[in-house]
Amino acid sequence: AKRRSGTVLASVVNAPVIQKKTAALPPPGGGFTTQVRLGHTSGDQWEPAIAADRFGHIYMLYPQYLGVPGCPDCPSPTMILQISSDRGATWGAPRQIAPPGTGQWDAQIVVDPVDGQTVYASWLQNGKSDTVVAKSINFGATWSVVVADSTNAGTDKPILAVRGQGVYVAFNHAQKVWVASSHDGGATFTVSQLNPNGKLGWSLAGGGTVTPDGSVYFSWAGYKQNGGAKGPVSLYVSNSSDGGSTWTNTVVDVSGAPPPCPEFSCGWAYLGAQATMASDAAGTLYVLWNSNTTDKTPNRLYFAKSTNGGSTWSAKVDVSLAPANIHHAFPAIGAGAAGDVRISWMDARAAGITGLDRWNPYYRSSTNGGATWSAEVDISTFAAGYDYYITADGFRFPFGDYYEMDIDDRGDTHVIMGQGEDYDSPGSIWYTKGK
């Protein structure tokens, strides 16, 4: 069945509800666990988000398409929450995070780094015209939900960043990036335009962070042409030192137009340049992105950092060990203690030069702020019984353009990803953890 908004299938609604999932153990000698499927096992599970607190909880949030098992009144998609209370060893049953009413898209979930406990989530609803923020102070048992911004037309790509009472969500609307800012723990929000003087065709946020001094940063891609994604694509980091009232924009790289992938039913710019970011406990900023130098050719993966609040950036470094002309996409990054930065991405080296039909996620870490990196680790593993061929050398295609990871209080990295047949359907969510 196609993964399309609004379609609810009786076969999905009437399917059994998964009650508990046990994660696999790490392989001998350590490393990452065997990947485990999370979420419902009927319908499509799309674009997941993940967060870890300091009390052993791991939170996974995603939009469930084609119906929700056991919920005949749930629309497609409905935002589904699944929680582990033992650092990913076992997972509770997937459930609605909040009464949907209308479809819910584009999951985000983060834990406040100040108390290590308060959880915030964000998504789009009401035809994508409302950007909402949810908050839980009891480890995800209950949630309060507020509308951070409401528009007269659809929005896209919310990115959530939190520290203490500061809660910020960036989103695209009317070909610009906007930021809804709260200074009272998500109770009320005001909205400012991040790129007020921009003349871009489309602007998509990709990452965000709040540093210990309270400065707010978002990374985003600015497309010169609307819809057609003809490039070039400017990759920005924007920062605010006054709580989101005003913003300074810096270009960290410029990419050519995205490579097409019509044989996989891709939306525009699906494999195009994206930039995500994180900050460590010392306030050092890290950016990870994919880009190309020639229009419509495979993207590479690059990393840079700033130790002065984004005033200047290090020279970009290619951090993938894949051969040339290999497709790279969907960067993910996390940071912890000073100098602790971890990166992951998906590339198609298993499919060969310019190939698109075999992907793997790769992972590297650094303890010195990216001066040196660990060896690459392929963190996907074989799973039998799927039409999208999760083989020993990779899966057929990335399912959704959100790919995320987070670091828990014991230093483990928790990764969530979508794997599928093509951009549209079928597909599901997979989890792994390691160091």
Side-chain angles (χ1 to χ4, degrees):
K2 294 291 186 181
R3 178 197 51 79
R4 54 186 182 270
S5 299
T7 300
V8 175
L9 301 181
S11 59
V12 175
V13 173
N14 296 327
V17 178
I18 301 300
Q19 295 301 316
K20 196 171 186 178
K21 174 70 71 173
T22 300
L25 296 175
F32 279 78
T33 60
T34 302
Q35 67 181 44
V36 172
R37 185 176 179 181
L38 294 184
H40 290 292
T41 55
S42 296
D44 282 337
Q45 298 79 50
W46 173 254
E47 297 190 332
I50 196 166
D53 70 12
R54 291 206 294 264
F55 299 87
H57 301 90
I58 313 299
Y59 304 89
M60 192 274 289
L61 184 68
Y62 78 94
Q64 165 77 19
Y65 280 81
L66 300 177
V68 176
C71 183
D73 296 326
C74 286
S76 176
T78 289
M79 204 59 64
I80 299 296
L81 176 70
Q82 193 166 10
I83 302 173
S84 170
S85 59
D86 53 12
R87 295 180 170 83
T90 61
W91 292 81
R95 59 179 174 84
Q96 299 174 54
I97 190 173
T102 66
Q104 300 168 315
W105 296 262
D106 292 0
Q108 290 278 282
I109 193 162
V110 299
V111 173
D112 175 16
V114 174
D115 67 11
Q117 174 178 336
T118 305
V119 193
Y120 292 88
S122 184
W123 61 85
L124 307 176
Q125 62 185 31
N126 190 21
K128 298 187 180 182
S129 64
D130 290 348
T131 302
V132 303
V133 173
K135 177 181 180 179
S136 176
I137 58 174
N138 54 9
F139 302 113
T142 59
W143 296 81
S144 59
V145 181
V146 301
V147 176
D149 181 70
S150 185
T151 70
N152 59 0
T155 59
D156 197 12
K157 296 288 285 188
I159 298 293
L160 184 62
V162 173
R163 181 175 290 272
Q165 293 296 296
V167 182
Y168 305 89
V169 57
F171 55 92
N172 170 268
H173 171 60
Q175 303 176 27
K176 298 180 179 69
V177 177
W178 303 78
V179 179
S181 304
S182 173
H183 305 109
D184 53 13
T188 60
F189 287 84
T190 57
V191 179
S192 62
Q193 189 176 328
L194 189 150
N195 55 337
N197 298 318
K199 297 180 179 180
L200 300 168
W202 205 257
S203 306
L204 300 174
T209 188
V210 186
T211 51
D213 68 356
S215 297
V216 191
Y217 300 83
F218 285 104
S219 56
W220 51 283
Y223 285 83
K224 296 297 184 183
Q225 300 272 348
N226 181 19
K230 298 177 181 178
V233 188
S234 296
L235 295 165
Y236 293 88
V237 171
S238 298
N239 73 283
S240 174
S241 58
D242 56 10
S245 295
T246 59
W247 296 87
T248 300
N249 305 315
T250 301
V251 176
V252 296
D253 198 10
V254 177
S255 174
C261 52
E263 67 271 37
F264 293 90
S265 305
C266 290
W268 70 272
Y270 187 66
L271 296 179
Q274 296 183 23
T276 189
M277 69 181 304
S279 60
D280 67 18
T284 299
L285 301 170
Y286 305 102
V287 180
L288 185 72
W289 71 94
N290 59 303
S291 66
N292 60 24
T293 55
T294 304
D295 287 350
K296 301 182 180 180
T297 60
N299 283 208
R300 292 296 295 185
L301 191 83
Y302 299 102
F303 169 87
K305 72 176 182 179
S306 174
T307 58
N308 56 12
S311 295
T312 59
W313 291 87
S314 64
K316 69 178 184 181
V317 177
D318 185 338
V319 286
S320 170
L321 300 182
N325 296 314
I326 298 297
H327 286 279
H328 291 68
F330 314 117
I333 192 167
D340 177 7
V341 58
R342 310 177 193 193
I343 61 175
S344 190
W345 68 94
M346 294 184 184
D347 75 45
R349 70 182 73 176
I353 294 175
T354 71
L356 283 170
D357 63 349
R358 185 68 73 237
W359 291 74
N360 285 282
Y362 292 89
Y363 172 87
R364 304 184 81 178
S365 62
S366 174
T367 59
N368 54 16
T372 59
W373 294 95
S374 67
E376 283 184 342
V377 179
D378 178 354
I379 60 176
S380 63
T381 49
F382 169 74
Y386 291 89
D387 292 339
Y388 41 93
Y389 315 116
I390 306 178
T391 67
D393 64 346
F395 53 91
R396 178 168 164 82
F397 202 68
F399 195 55
D401 53 7
Y402 284 92
Y403 172 49
E404 290 197 4
M405 65 181 184
D406 201 8
I407 304 170
D408 70 14
D409 59 312
R410 294 185 176 178
D412 285 330
T413 302
H414 299 262
V415 179
I416 197 75
M417 71 192 87
Q419 302 176 10
E421 172 71 17
D422 57 26
Y423 169 84
D424 192 53
S425 192
S428 52
I429 289 170
W430 296 86
Y431 163 81
T432 181
K433 73 171 184 176
K435 290 187 178 178

